[in-house]
Amino acid sequence: MYQISVEQHFDAAHFLRGYRGKCEALHGHRFRVVVRIESSGLDDIGLAYDFSELKQHLAEVISRFDHTCVNDVPPFDQINPSSENIAATIYEELKPKLTGVSIVGVEVWESPQTGVVYSPD
Ligand SMILES: [Zn+2]
């Protein structure tokens, strides 16, 4: 079994509705996103999955969040743009773009010290 990871980021503002604390005020992060996928086999040139293809799929998903207030971008106009919800949303949007591999987890890091990993049940 092979696990392949790529990392990208987007810069955005957000605030947490209903949260009592500093994060209820508008603030920004460089959201670091790490996607890890799993493949049991290799193709005929020895790759489990093409890194650049995976990066391209991830970029398609997260580009709409870059330089926005994430609270204005669906579905986060309806649900809170917590790192947990952002990670699950990226997972759901990335999943149909990937064939022949499964997503092990999507990590969203708000800072070097604080991050979330979403993995499917
Ligand atoms: Zn935040």
Side-chain angles (χ1 to χ4, degrees):
M1 193 64 81
Y2 301 92
Q3 292 193 346
I4 305 295
S5 297
V6 297
E7 176 183 326
Q8 290 182 331
H9 68 265
F10 61 95
D11 296 303
H14 78 160
F15 58 92
L16 296 180
R17 305 172 188 102
Y19 181 81
R20 292 203 172 89
K22 277 166 69 175
C23 292
E24 69 181 332
L26 182 68
H27 62 281
H29 296 285
R30 168 159 290 186
F31 287 94
R32 197 165 65 83
V33 180
V34 179
V35 171
R36 178 166 297 129
I37 63 171
E38 189 171 73
S39 171
S40 56
L42 301 180
D43 66 13
D44 54 1
I45 61 163
L47 301 182
Y49 201 86
D50 187 339
F51 287 127
S52 54
E53 196 179 325
L54 184 54
K55 279 189 208 165
Q56 191 181 328
H57 290 310
L58 180 58
E60 283 167 14
V61 172
I62 66 175
S63 62
R64 67 194 181 96
F65 304 130
D66 193 35
H67 287 73
T68 67
C69 175
V70 183
N71 296 64
D72 296 333
V73 182
F76 304 110
D77 53 342
Q78 302 292 324
I79 62 171
N80 240 352
S82 61
S83 288
E84 290 86 338
N85 282 337
I86 292 172
T89 297
I90 292 170
Y91 173 88
E92 292 300 335
E93 295 185 7
L94 197 55
K95 193 177 172 186
K97 296 176 180 288
L98 303 177
T99 51
V101 292
S102 54
I103 304 173
V104 178
V106 174
E107 300 177 29
V108 172
W109 290 82
E110 293 193 357
S111 76
Q113 294 82 25
T114 50
V116 168
V117 183
Y118 175 78
S119 13
D121 291 332

